[in-house]
Amino acid sequence: MRQPTRWLLGAAAAVALVAVADTAASVYVRSARATRVLTRRLEAAFGRPVEVGRYGFTFWRGTRIEAEEVTVGEDPRFGSEYFLRAQSVTATLRWRSLVRGKIEFATFSFSQPSLNVVSVGGRWNLADWLPPASPGAAGPGSQTPLLYRIEVDRGRINFKRGEDKLPFALVDVRGSIDERAPGRWAIALQARPMRVAVNLQDAGILTLAGDVGGTSARLRPANLQLHWPDASLGDVLRLARGYDYGVRGRQDLDLRASSTGGVWRFELAARARDLHRWDMVSHPGDPALNLRLAATWQPGTGRWEWEGGRIEGAESLVGVSGEAEWPAGPPRAMPVDDRGPRMSLQLSSAGVGAADLLAWYRAFRPGVSPGLHASGWLQGSLELSGWPPRITRGTLSAAGLRLEGAALPAPIALAAASAEVFRNRAKGSLTGLDFGSKVGAFDMEGSARRDRRWKFQMAARGATPQIVDLVAATKALGANPPAYWNQFSGPADLQIACVGGLSPFERSFHESVEFHDATWREESLPARAVLSDVRLDASASRLRMEVRHAQALGAHWSGWLERPAPAGTWRFSLSADRLDIRPLAARLRTQPRQLGLLERIFRSGRAAGSPPSWLASFEASGRLEARELTAAPLALERVDGRLAIRHNALELSEARARLAGGDVRGGFVISVLDRTPVWHVTARIANADLARLTHALGGTAERRFSGLASATMDLGARGATAAALRDSVYGTAQVAIRGATDRQVDWLATLRAGRATAGRSSFASVTARVRLAGGKLTFRDLRLSGEGGRVQATGGIDFKGASGAVLAVEARLSSYPGGPPGYPASVERTFQVTGSTADPLVRLRRTPNPPPSH
């Protein structure tokens, strides 16, 4: 037989032998006896009871025993939940032990394991996991470990304190633990941190490297390094507290832990960079922070001590020292307030730079001008205790702080600042906060008190020569003053109070401002107001103005106005001296509607009018008093009514006034239609002096007419001028005059003579129903009753005539004593009156049958 053929046969026989042995071993390890033996070996390796779903064996990838669905029980001292659970565990056997007929494990490989790390009373359930070294046969004094390598793939580590499972965990754990020398284990692991019910997107990768002693020696000596690079700071904070604090940035962390005896020493170096608010874009000037801390830990007592720590900024340095001690008992066995560490922390600043504070403020406050620069320093100290840490004592002082930049009208300087905290109380003050001569100077003071949460109150007072510059300065600092501040200009004295908590939603402001010779111009108001003496009180719920003296629409005002903040319907009670309706009517001009795109291209459609912006956006209701209200050509006195502006209309209702010595009750409505003001007046007039009334209406210099007039009217008109109103007035009225006198024309003699006859007419009563339309007055059933006779007339007067008011009247005269011969006194005659009121022409109208003679 050829030599190659022999080799092939030998190789085939070897493979067959291995296959047979592999099959036989696989069948054997599934036997009850082998299962008990292997389980006892695993229990000896873990120091805990073990349950295995199924065993397997293979020679092809080394001498390996594969255990599936493995559960390692927990030591009763650390709870009843499992210690370790894995989908599969592969254990590599030692050949030497197999030759001697023993089963000893050299390597464990865990696939998708889940490990519970438990701490109870300062002791950890990991203390007995890694087996101690055992004597071997390599020579005198040599040590041969029972286990020298542990491999992990896609693992998970959970953390518990007693029966309480913490929300933290490490997932996707990969790496190995190797015994490099007897009793010395090298660790190389990496994992992703996670928190239950919190979605972390970029929490980074934790890498743990170093070496430790066996667990029987409580992992000592040890030298470990934890590296956590380039993680999202927002995810790190969510990981730590389960809450999104709205902080964004990146963080790097390096932690070194070492121990050679009973004390552990830790050295922490952490850096946070590119810090900014979650809804703001990262900027090259965003602040950074370095933390360096050295601490010692005594596992038996749970005591931590750290000193020589530093918090570093670009221009700041704060020292850190303190101590903490964790309670030794199970958490559920202690009161809630005692479950955290008993901690004491001291912070002392060598100096905190104002430039760093400005960088932090700019990174978390939108709208801060990028051209601002700060200088100066703050110094202080702070003591904290308990968990979460609470401030027990602290002091802060500053001087020479200065803020300047092109966005400010003038540099801002602070003469002095101080703050003090003692247990659950705090107080502070800012003295000489000077914004420059154009803006003004202010002082601030405040205090705080802690019950369950911190509550504070703060007050600021000062004066500004120009409130517009003060608003500009606060906007440059990133503040957002209420919109109504932009409506004022001029000098003001300010007092601002703020109360609330640390959350912005818990804060409330109250502002009191005294205006002297300032101006107020709100878009929704029809005119600018000059505030000679006005007090403004503003809070989150309302805006109120106490008007001692102000000028607007040509009148002097007093009273009050208020509305819900930041917007809503104004309520008011105002008094004016002389109010002319014409300036208001002039502000009823409409705005042309913006043409659409197709209308602009094809020039189709018409720009219909819309109400003026102030009337469309302004809503108000309240009481209005005016010593005199002029609605040309009439002037009302002692007006008192309810004024409402809403739905694009201005309405005066429930009004009372005096007109020409008489009483007036009623109201009017002004709205806008087709770009023109539309008026509607309803009124009842009682006992008005006819002489004064006709003088106002006609402008006559002499007192031609007299009497006491009463009327009920419902009138309307269009326009904003007296001429437009006169020509467009329409409506109806019922008029009654007592003691009517015309000192220029004797109307009875005029009817008798057929021409205007100078003289005097007197009538005990005059009544008529009047209709106005198109500049004409028409009347029906005009009745004039006097001692000389009775006149009934119908007709009208056209006020648009070129030579004055034109008459077109048909009158019937009754009881005409002293008539022509042959006519009895009781005979009625009908006349036609034409011409004008100044020169009437009278003609007797012929009748078909002359009256009979006696």
Side-chain angles (χ1 to χ4, degrees):
M1 183 178 296
R2 296 181 180 180
Q3 191 70 20
T5 303
R6 295 177 180 176
W7 282 107
L8 289 175
L9 291 175
V15 170
L17 182 61
V18 170
V20 171
D22 183 79
T23 302
S26 298
V27 173
Y28 172 72
V29 298
R30 292 188 178 93
S31 65
R33 182 173 181 277
T35 297
R36 289 194 299 271
V37 172
L38 293 174
T39 301
R40 284 197 299 268
R41 293 294 185 270
L42 289 176
E43 291 176 344
F46 287 105
R48 289 170 172 79
V50 176
E51 294 181 3
V52 179
R54 186 170 63 89
Y55 284 103
F57 182 84
T58 179
F59 277 124
W60 300 110
R61 290 173 294 173
T63 310
R64 296 185 177 185
I65 294 179
E66 298 176 347
E68 298 180 2
E69 300 177 2
V70 178
T71 300
V72 180
E74 183 58 277
D75 188 324
R77 295 175 298 173
F78 299 98
S80 58
E81 196 176 6
Y82 66 87
F83 170 69
L84 176 68
R85 180 177 290 168
Q87 181 177 346
S88 65
V89 177
T90 301
T92 303
L93 301 178
R94 296 178 179 275
W95 281 100
R96 294 180 180 178
S97 62
L98 287 177
V99 171
R100 295 195 302 268
K102 296 181 179 180
I103 298 177
E104 294 182 358
F105 301 118
T107 302
F108 275 144
S109 295
F110 295 92
S111 177
Q112 300 183 24
S114 176
L115 173 67
N116 286 328
V117 177
V118 186
S119 170
V120 175
R123 295 182 57 86
W124 296 82
N125 63 342
L126 293 176
D128 301 323
W129 183 16
L130 297 179
S134 62
S142 66
Q143 298 276 326
T144 302
L146 295 177
L147 184 68
Y148 63 83
R149 183 175 178 84
I150 298 175
E151 297 175 345
V152 180
D153 180 42
R154 294 172 295 169
R156 177 188 177 106
I157 301 178
N158 306 306
F159 297 91
K160 296 176 61 178
R161 293 191 62 209
E163 294 294 334
D164 297 329
K165 180 172 286 188
L166 302 181
F168 310 103
L170 297 176
V171 297
D172 199 19
V173 181
R174 302 171 185 269
S176 63
I177 302 175
D178 296 272
E179 188 170 25
R180 298 291 178 84
R184 296 291 295 174
W185 295 84
I187 298 176
L189 297 173
Q190 69 176 25
R192 289 188 300 106
M194 63 86 67
R195 185 183 178 106
V196 176
V198 176
N199 184 22
L200 303 178
Q201 300 178 352
D202 188 14
I205 301 296
L206 290 170
T207 301
L208 179 64
D211 58 86
V212 297
T215 55
S216 60
R218 293 182 176 264
L219 304 179
R220 293 186 292 267
N223 187 6
L224 296 172
Q225 290 186 342
L226 177 67
H227 185 45
W228 193 0
D230 197 28
S232 167
L233 185 60
D235 281 345
V236 172
L237 293 177
R238 282 194 292 269
L239 178 69
R241 301 290 296 173
Y243 178 78
D244 189 351
Y245 290 89
V247 180
R248 298 296 181 265
R250 311 298 296 182
Q251 72 105 45
D252 301 294
L253 182 144
D254 286 285
L255 177 65
R256 181 176 180 180
S258 59
S259 176
T260 55
V263 177
W264 284 80
R265 180 172 179 81
F266 295 87
E267 296 178 5
L268 174 66
R271 174 178 174 81
R273 63 186 187 279
D274 301 329
L275 298 171
H276 60 279
R277 205 169 81 171
W278 69 274
D279 56 349
M280 297 177 63
V281 179
S282 179
H283 187 273
D286 288 341
L289 201 65
N290 294 338
L291 172 62
R292 299 183 181 277
L293 193 65
T296 58
W297 174 48
Q298 298 179 4
T301 61
R303 182 179 180 83
W304 290 79
E305 294 183 0
W306 54 86
E307 60 183 13
R310 296 184 300 173
I311 302 175
E312 301 171 343
E315 297 185 11
S316 304
L317 178 62
V318 177
V320 181
S321 61
E323 60 184 22
E325 184 173 349
W326 288 90
R332 291 187 177 181
M334 295 180 293
V336 175
D337 295 340
D338 295 336
R339 294 184 183 181
R342 292 184 286 272
M343 188 167 89
S344 174
L345 179 66
Q346 295 83 38
L347 304 176
S348 59
S349 67
V352 176
D356 284 349
L357 295 179
L358 177 60
W360 281 87
Y361 182 73
R362 182 182 285 120
F364 289 88
R365 184 74 180 187
V368 180
S369 173
L372 293 180
H373 305 281
S375 59
W377 299 85
L378 290 84
Q379 291 183 326
S381 62
L382 203 62
E383 296 181 5
L384 301 95
S385 63
W387 186 261
R390 298 177 181 177
I391 300 174
T392 56
R393 183 186 298 273
T395 59
L396 179 67
S397 62
L401 297 181
R402 185 178 178 87
L403 185 66
E404 54 191 335
L408 295 174
I412 301 175
L414 178 63
S418 64
E420 183 178 358
V421 181
F422 181 73
R423 294 189 182 276
N424 294 328
R425 295 185 179 183
K427 63 179 181 178
S429 65
L430 301 177
T431 305
L433 183 58
D434 189 356
F435 284 78
S437 59
K438 293 181 61 178
V439 180
F442 302 87
D443 293 330
M444 300 176 64
E445 61 181 13
S447 61
R449 183 170 182 173
R450 185 181 184 277
D451 186 6
R452 293 184 177 180
R453 293 187 296 179
W454 281 99
K455 299 289 184 180
F456 71 88
Q457 56 184 8
M458 182 187 69
R461 60 181 59 89
T464 176
Q466 183 50 262
I467 197 168
V468 173
D469 292 332
L470 177 60
V471 171
T474 56
K475 287 183 177 180
L477 296 176
N480 295 315
Y484 55 78
W485 286 114
N486 298 316
Q487 303 160 6
F488 298 96
S489 62
D493 298 327
L494 294 93
Q495 291 187 5
I496 301 176
C498 177
V499 297
L502 298 180
S503 170
F505 302 105
E506 299 180 88
R507 301 173 193 171
S508 62
F509 289 86
H510 184 272
E511 300 153 347
S512 297
V513 187
E514 293 279 351
F515 293 104
H516 302 285
D517 299 324
T519 59
W520 181 34
R521 183 62 173 97
E522 186 187 10
E523 291 184 0
S524 61
L525 291 177
R528 181 177 66 95
V530 178
L531 310 181
S532 301
D533 187 2
V534 174
R535 176 187 175 92
L536 171 70
D537 289 294
S539 65
S541 59
R542 73 168 187 167
L543 181 67
R544 182 179 176 88
M545 297 179 68
E546 295 287 346
V547 182
R548 304 183 187 100
H549 189 271
Q551 293 174 274
L553 294 171
H556 295 85
W557 298 84
S558 62
W560 58 266
L561 305 92
E562 71 176 23
R563 74 172 184 184
T569 301
W570 284 94
R571 296 174 55 250
F572 60 84
S573 178
L574 294 172
S575 299
D577 55 353
R578 291 180 176 85
L579 184 59
D580 193 341
I581 203 71
R582 287 175 297 179
L584 180 62
R587 288 171 173 80
L588 291 173
R589 296 170 182 166
T590 58
Q591 304 294 329
R593 181 178 63 85
Q594 294 293 330
L595 295 178
L597 176 61
L598 294 179
E599 293 173 329
R600 292 197 299 268
I601 294 175
F602 299 104
R603 298 297 179 184
S604 63
R606 299 176 57 189
S610 60
S613 59
W614 72 266
L615 188 60
S617 60
F618 188 57
E619 291 193 1
S621 64
R623 208 74 191 171
L624 174 66
E625 297 180 3
R627 192 171 63 191
E628 181 177 305
L629 175 64
T630 301
L634 299 177
L636 300 172
E637 300 174 346
R638 292 185 289 179
V639 178
D640 183 3
R642 183 170 187 80
L643 182 65
I645 303 175
R646 61 171 63 92
H647 307 306
N648 300 330
L650 184 150
E651 178 181 3
L652 179 66
S653 60
E654 304 176 13
R656 302 178 61 180
R658 299 282 293 175
L659 173 64
D663 293 327
V664 181
R665 296 192 180 190
F668 66 82
V669 178
I670 308 175
S671 57
V672 177
L673 181 65
D674 294 334
R675 306 181 63 182
T676 304
V678 177
W679 303 68
H680 183 214
V681 180
T682 57
R684 297 187 64 176
I685 304 174
N687 301 323
D689 188 339
L690 187 60
R692 293 170 57 183
L693 194 59
T694 54
H695 175 72
L697 290 172
T700 57
E702 67 279 2
R703 294 173 59 89
R704 175 178 174 179
F705 301 100
S706 63
L708 295 178
S710 300
T712 301
M713 61 183 64
D714 187 348
L715 305 176
R718 295 165 62 94
T721 64
L725 292 173
R726 181 197 63 196
D727 295 340
S728 65
V729 66
Y730 64 92
T732 61
Q734 290 194 8
V735 181
I737 304 174
R738 292 186 293 112
T741 302
D742 184 350
R743 293 181 176 85
Q744 183 173 325
V745 178
D746 185 342
W747 286 98
L748 294 179
T750 297
L751 291 177
R752 181 181 60 186
R755 64 180 180 275
T757 302
R760 176 188 177 95
S761 299
S762 296
F763 299 96
S765 67
V766 177
T767 60
R769 288 181 292 172
V770 179
R771 181 179 181 84
L772 292 160
K776 295 181 180 181
L777 182 150
T778 59
F779 49 84
R780 297 179 59 192
D781 197 19
L782 171 62
R783 298 174 182 267
L784 300 92
S785 300
E787 293 180 359
R790 183 175 67 251
V791 178
Q792 289 181 280
T794 60
I797 304 175
D798 187 352
F799 293 102
K800 294 183 178 180
S803 59
V806 178
L807 295 170
V809 179
E810 185 174 287
R812 185 175 60 185
L813 176 62
S814 302
S815 301
Y816 178 40
Y823 283 89
S826 60
V827 173
E828 298 181 350
R829 302 296 299 271
T830 302
F831 301 88
Q832 291 178 337
V833 184
T834 58
S836 66
T837 56
D839 186 17
L841 178 62
V842 181
R843 292 185 178 90
L844 178 64
R845 192 180 72 177
R846 296 183 179 274
T847 58
N849 298 313
S853 61
H854 294 276

